[in-house]
Amino acid sequence: MRRLREYGFITGFLAIPVILYVVFVISPYVQAFYLSLTDWGGVSAFPSFSGFSNYTRLFEDEVFWKAVRNHVLLLIALPLLVLSLALFFSFLLNLGGGSKGGKLRGVWGSKFYRVVFFFPQVLAVAIVGVLFQAVYRPDEGGIINGALIAIGLEPIGWLTEPSIAFWAIIGVMVWQAVGFYVVLFSAGMAAIPKDVFEAAALDGAGRFRLFFSITLPLLWDTLQVGWIYLSIAAFDGFALVQVLSVDRGGPDNSTAVLPLEIWKTAFSYSEFGYASAMGVALFFMTITFAVLALRVSRREKIEF
């Protein structure tokens, strides 16, 4: 009887959160799956069923596949660049200053650098986009091109050249994301007993050996979390592409990403059924990659 009362209390406590989750999370997914099988234009109360015609259209949509290729590029470049830089900076801030009195320390001014690295995280994505519009301006008014012109070089169309526009946006994503992962990895390094590093340093291990033989293996779980987060972020990019790109995904669709294409298809072309099919495709791509990433990066946990 007592156990039944406990179960009743737990069920009653969880009922409202579960109902809210079903209504506001699960229900929109189910509706999106349903709408992807219709030709709904956003107006009629009863959309007509069109079967899998929207999914067939996806395979023939050149812009959709350009967006998918851009996401593949993001999946490779964003985690690799962000995690590499964050690991490097966090190692310097925590252990890169050498030893003093037998104790390892970070580089001089490491507390100040932590604030500098984390600063982009406090800025809204739209504000970051507006800031980098000034950085990437194609004339002498741009920060980068102004410097290039000052030394006698030709200005570069960072956001107007199809071959480099998406790389310019990736650079902004990296700049904004690094600070968070510096803090994340610094917290992970702080949890590792300093005795481990000091014993290795006394045995003659240099910074290179400390990083690859001790720091990286003991931070693997934290690194795995960062990899998953960044992989999911690689399927987004809506706000920065919306603000920075030429004509929302240009030039020549070179900066197209699926969230922006979904928004354009639904609210600019009133093709909500087709936009829902894009959303369903994006959902399965994200889930599939997250599961694969967890499988591939799984390894035996190291105790310390």
Side-chain angles (χ1 to χ4, degrees), residues 116-139:
V116 172
F117 285 132
F118 192 75
F119 176 72
Q121 287 294 312
V122 304
L123 300 176
V125 178
I127 294 176
V128 172
V130 172
L131 288 174
F132 274 87
Q133 281 181 338
V135 173
Y136 286 146
R137 275 186 59 174
D139 53 25

Side-chain angles (χ1 to χ4, degrees), residues 39-43 263-275:
D39 60 357
W40 190 48
V43 178
W263 180 84
K264 286 166 59 178
T265 302
F267 296 103
S268 295
Y269 310 136
S270 297
E271 297 183 15
F272 285 84
Y274 187 50

Side-chain angles (χ1 to χ4, degrees), residues 54-301:
N54 287 324
Y55 294 99
T56 303
R57 181 179 167 188
L58 281 179
F59 286 99
E60 302 171 352
D61 190 339
E62 183 180 350
V63 177
F64 172 79
W65 288 110
K66 278 190 176 182
V68 171
R69 286 195 293 270
N70 284 339
H71 284 298
V72 172
L73 179 59
L74 272 175
L75 278 171
I76 298 170
L78 190 63
L80 186 62
L81 292 173
V82 171
L83 296 180
S84 299
L85 290 172
L87 281 170
F88 175 71
F89 290 138
S90 57
F91 183 78
L92 289 180
L93 295 178
N94 289 274
L95 304 167
S99 60
K100 184 178 181 180
K103 293 185 177 181
L104 292 170
R105 59 178 183 171
V107 296
W108 182 85
S110 57
K111 292 183 180 179
F112 171 74
Y113 293 135
R114 283 190 180 94
V115 175
V116 172
F117 285 132
F118 192 75
F119 176 72
Q121 287 294 312
V122 304
L123 300 176
V125 178
I127 294 176
V128 172
V130 172
L131 288 174
F132 274 87
Q133 281 181 338
V135 173
Y136 286 146
R137 275 186 59 174
D139 53 25
E140 67 275 4
I143 295 176
I144 298 178
N145 282 328
L148 293 177
I149 292 171
I151 60 176
L153 298 177
E154 291 292 324
I156 299 173
W158 298 101
L159 298 174
T160 56
E161 291 289 336
S163 59
I164 63 174
F166 196 62
W167 284 106
I169 294 176
I170 290 176
V172 180
M173 292 180 179
V174 171
W175 178 82
Q176 188 185 28
V178 163
F180 172 80
Y181 293 95
V182 168
V183 173
L184 180 66
F185 294 145
S186 294
M189 291 181 190
I192 301 173
K194 288 292 189 289
D195 296 344
V196 177
F197 295 109
E198 291 165 6
L202 289 174
D203 288 339
R207 295 179 186 179
F208 185 86
R209 178 65 68 181
L210 282 174
F211 179 77
F212 285 100
S213 297
I214 297 178
T215 306
L216 195 58
L218 294 179
L219 274 181
W220 188 260
D221 289 342
T222 307
L223 185 66
Q224 184 187 46
V225 171
W227 186 275
I228 299 301
Y229 283 175
L230 284 168
S231 298
I232 294 174
F235 285 104
D236 188 11
F238 172 85
L240 278 177
V241 175
Q242 167 84 321
V243 175
L244 283 174
S245 65
V246 177
D247 195 25
R248 295 173 182 172
D252 194 26
N253 295 312
S254 60
T255 60
V257 290
L258 284 179
L260 183 58
E261 290 305 312
I262 292 170
W263 180 84
K264 286 166 59 178
T265 302
F267 296 103
S268 295
Y269 310 136
S270 297
E271 297 183 15
F272 285 84
Y274 187 50
S276 297
M278 286 187 181
V280 171
L282 179 60
F283 169 79
F284 281 111
M285 283 190 287
T286 305
I287 293 298
T288 300
F289 186 84
V291 171
L292 289 176
L294 284 171
R295 290 273 186 178
V296 171
S297 59
R298 181 182 298 172
R299 59 182 293 177
E300 185 178 350
K301 187 175 182 180

